[in-house]
Amino acid sequence: MSTRYQLSVCPHDTAKNLAGWFLINTYLQRKLGLAMRFEPRDNFNVEREQVLAGGIHLVYANPYSALKYVHERGFVPVARPAGVFDETMLVARRGVGLPATRPLKVASATDKLIVHFLGLTLLNQLQVPLADCSFHMAGNHLKAAQAVLAGQADVGFVFNETWHGLSASTREALDIVAATESQSASHCFCVGPELADRIEDVRAVLCGMDSDPSGKKVLEDLRFSRFEPMDLAAFDQLTTLVQ
């Protein structure tokens, strides 16, 4: 009886296009000759804990989760979408800017995503000590922006993708005080220890999708141009960031 493997995908991505991730799962099964099951989850923490508990063999992970999988489960990063990076916008209500009053109330989705840690670098650049900040964990990036609009926070950390997806009226009600441009963090595919002997195969299939007509269609459905190779060295800067 052939081994059945398991794919897991960051809930942020499945929420945008669930069907596309079923398509890529089917594509990978066919190209790799593997039986692989994909069961989407709708919660960051649930999905992360499931991967850390074992039994998941291939993941498409957000940067913070990927770090956890690499350090705690021995996963190996193999590919990331080309030109797509996780960045943080520090936003405030329009015309208010960064208030001088302290503590500074900062809204963030959670301190378990790289967006939060990138946001901390912005506060450092603005010479705002963390000791002078009070953090409100809103639960997701949209709620962090809404907390600023509602006056529950002075500023907020907002994921760049979330920012660009906000309505025009919401963006007009906010100012970008600062934004990261590090290009150091990205979602990525990581291979688990049980598939260690197929790492190069997985990387080759993913990075060759754009030159394969059927793979190109899957990429277009997911709104990626292509996947590019990555390895453990890509995590050096992120590891330092979250320490």
Side-chain angles (χ1 to χ4, degrees):
M1 185 176 180
S2 63
T3 303
R4 190 173 186 87
Y5 295 95
Q6 190 92 8
L7 168 69
S8 187
V9 177
C10 176
H12 174 82
D13 295 274
T14 56
K16 293 184 293 181
N17 184 357
L18 181 57
W21 291 101
F22 276 105
L23 287 175
I24 201 169
N25 182 62
T26 300
Y27 181 84
L28 290 171
Q29 288 185 90
R30 180 165 55 84
K31 288 292 185 177
L32 294 168
L34 297 176
M36 191 154 53
R37 183 177 179 83
F38 169 45
E39 294 182 0
R41 297 289 181 265
D42 60 5
N43 179 281
F44 284 107
N45 292 323
V46 170
E47 191 259 349
R48 182 183 292 139
E49 292 306 315
Q50 183 184 41
V51 176
L52 292 174
I56 304 296
H57 310 96
L58 179 65
V59 296
Y60 182 75
N62 66 67
Y64 184 87
S65 291
L67 273 177
K68 300 279 283 183
Y69 303 155
V70 167
H71 293 157
E72 297 183 26
R73 295 291 305 184
F75 277 72
V76 176
V78 293
R80 61 187 172 195
V84 181
F85 299 100
D86 290 41
E87 303 288 359
T88 300
M89 312 289 198
L90 181 70
V91 304
R93 288 184 299 283
R94 177 64 62 117
V96 174
L98 192 69
T101 56
R102 298 292 182 268
L104 183 71
K105 298 177 184 176
V106 184
S108 180
T110 171
D111 59 359
K112 299 296 187 291
L113 289 173
I114 211 71
V115 169
H116 179 80
F117 294 96
L118 288 170
L120 297 182
T121 69
L122 293 176
L123 294 178
N124 183 58
Q125 291 171 22
L126 294 168
Q127 299 184 325
V128 179
L130 297 188
D132 289 353
C133 299
S134 171
F135 291 94
H136 166 65
M137 299 304 166
N140 62 48
H141 306 297
L142 176 59
K143 288 182 179 178
Q146 291 172 338
V148 176
L149 287 172
Q152 299 168 344
D154 300 312
V155 294
F157 298 155
V158 178
F159 182 29
N160 58 330
E161 183 179 285
T162 301
W163 171 261
H164 294 302
L166 293 174
S167 66
S169 60
T170 298
R171 288 198 304 273
E172 288 170 2
L174 295 166
D175 282 329
I176 298 174
V177 178
T180 63
E181 297 178 348
S182 68
Q183 296 190 355
S184 62
S186 58
H187 285 52
C188 62
F189 272 101
C190 297
V191 175
E194 297 89 348
L195 272 177
D197 61 334
R198 302 296 305 273
I199 285 175
E200 293 307 322
D201 294 335
V202 175
R203 182 181 284 120
V205 168
L206 288 167
C207 296
M209 288 179 69
D210 60 310
S211 59
D212 171 39
S214 58
K216 194 173 181 65
K217 288 181 181 178
V218 177
L219 287 171
E220 289 172 353
D221 194 79
L222 290 170
R223 298 186 178 180
F224 294 145
S225 61
R226 62 185 177 88
F227 287 109
E228 62 183 13
M230 71 178 298
D231 55 26
L232 285 170
F235 283 107
D236 291 345
Q237 188 173 349
L238 293 186
T239 300
T240 301
L241 183 66
V242 302
Q243 286 178 341

